[in-house]
Amino acid sequence: MSRVYNFSAGPAVLPEEVLQEAAAEMLDYKGTGMSVMEMSHRSKAFEDIIHTAEADLRELLHIPDNYKVLFLQGGAHQQFAMIPMNLMKNKVADYIVTGQWAKKAWQEAQKYGTANKAASSEDKTYSYIPDCSDLPISPDADYVYICENNTIYGTKFKTLPNTKGKTLVADVSSCFLSEPMDVEKYGVIYGGAQKNIGPAGVVIAIIREDLITEDVLPGTPTMLTYKTHADAESLYNTPNCYGIYMCGKVFQWLKKQGGLGAMKEHNEKKAKILYDYLDESAMFRGTVEPASRSLMNVPFVTGDKNLDAKFIKEATEAGFVNLKGHRSVGGMRASIYNAMPIQGVEALVAFMKKFEKENA
Ligand SMILES: *Cc1c(COP(=O)(O)O)cnc(C)c1O
């Protein structure tokens, strides 16, 4: 068996230990005589899995009691619609558009009400986070929306926007559990699991209880109403049982690593190795303003498309895979999520140095 260093933006690398545990439990989960994939979502064994997963997540993020944790489906994209459908009581919301995912969420919200663009970094290909300390927040805005870490462009909010008292909603898909968060500063935190937590097919939403009401936009389907899932403790319909089981294993792994404070330190150390090299290299350079750099997604270019292609090809052959940048930006992107070991980043930088020498 040989495993590559997988720099995919998502679905992405998972901790090897977690995969091994899942493999060992595949045919007979804890004496039940069956796989978690074959098990009723109403069974005692699965109830234990989902309750433990929620409890561990609450512990990792210090989630206050007045927040619900929901395990949903439909990807982050479904939240682009669920958020306005459930939260747009005044039919007004402000969006900070710092990348493609925020833009898509903003466009989706326009179907349900007035979605204002309060700030944007589109003028410089989303290579920075705009100053959000004094934005023209709408007086009747139901919420202010951000995408906290921009997976495609590699930027991250280092300070949260001043929402002037409005509810903050954040898509944290690609920075979920990469560092501690102050949950109380948000009304809704949500993310797809397939970036930094588990397999595709699970979306985790952490929502302050007062935002979960029956007062949703007319015509909102039962399945797209947060209250449906909150009342049923994420078991209204059959959830992604196996995905939740895997997320739960990753939560336990994170606790073993020392929690989110330890992960932050680890992620900073990892990202620094790559950014330091990008800053000193004569061939490669990062595309993001240093103050806005993400710890999770690191885009870079050589400035020469043919050289980029040669690099990606040779890197792939050497076992560094999925380094191609998003189709909308080109170049390269290394996603270095929680589960990417520091050795993976060190080995990548060593490979880049060698490539630079050979192609100078
Ligand atoms: C990947 C990603 C999405 C889209 O996720 P889907 O689960 O495919 O809908 C949305 N937002 C962010 C920040 C992402 O990284």
Side-chain angles (χ1 to χ4, degrees), residues 172-281:
V172 299
S173 294
S174 50
C175 58
F176 223 166
L177 307 185
S178 63
E179 56 183 84
M181 291 178 83
D182 193 352
V183 174
E184 279 186 45
K185 295 202 166 128
Y186 303 78
V188 180
I189 296 169
Y190 80 90
Q194 75 271 28
K195 307 287 161 66
N196 207 18
I197 299 186
V202 180
V203 170
I204 298 171
I206 302 164
I207 311 177
R208 209 176 60 224
E209 268 169 5
D210 61 283
L211 298 169
I212 303 173
T213 68
E214 266 158 21
D215 176 25
V216 296
L217 296 188
T220 299
T222 307
M223 274 296 286
L224 299 191
T225 303
Y226 286 131
K227 193 164 191 306
T228 303
H229 300 285
D231 288 352
E233 300 188 340
S234 302
L235 293 170
Y236 175 74
N237 72 318
T238 318
N240 180 345
C241 298
Y242 198 79
I244 293 167
Y245 157 78
M246 289 298 288
C247 291
K249 286 210 173 296
V250 171
F251 301 155
Q252 301 229 323
W253 177 80
L254 287 168
K255 281 170 62 175
K256 259 197 265 166
Q257 307 306 304
L260 302 189
M263 285 322 291
K264 179 175 199 260
E265 245 175 69
H266 185 67
N267 288 326
E268 282 172 346
K269 204 162 133 192
K270 246 169 33 185
K272 188 173 185 308
I273 295 169
L274 188 47
Y275 283 123
D276 280 354
Y277 170 61
L278 291 173
D279 288 344
E280 75 181 38
S281 167

Side-chain angles (χ1 to χ4, degrees), residues 9-11 74-80 100-102 104 145 147-152 171-175 190-195 200-203 297 333 337:
H77 276 81
Q78 186 162 285
Q79 296 308 306
F80 298 169
Q100 184 167 305
W101 298 123
K104 272 187 121 173
Y145 182 102
C147 176
E148 194 157 327
N149 183 79
N150 296 284
T151 325
I152 295 173
D171 173 358
V172 299
S173 294
S174 50
C175 58
Y190 80 90
Q194 75 271 28
K195 307 287 161 66
V202 180
V203 170
N297 309 99
R333 172 180 49 175
Y337 297 119

Side-chain angles (χ1 to χ4, degrees), residues 94-96 118-119 129-139 141 143-146 157-169 185-186:
D94 291 343
Y95 279 70
I96 300 176
I129 298 290
D131 177 4
C132 297
S133 57
D134 187 17
L135 297 175
I137 301 297
S138 310
Y143 59 88
V144 175
Y145 182 102
I146 62 169
F157 280 83
K158 302 292 159 89
T159 46
L160 293 175
N162 175 3
T163 65
K164 305 191 175 167
K166 305 297 182 193
T167 297
L168 180 62
V169 174
K185 295 202 166 128
Y186 303 78

Side-chain angles (χ1 to χ4, degrees), residues 100-118:
Q100 184 167 305
W101 298 123
K103 188 175 183 180
K104 272 187 121 173
W106 170 60
Q107 287 168 334
E108 182 71 10
Q110 290 167 25
K111 289 185 153 189
Y112 306 101
T114 305
N116 302 303
K117 199 193 313 185

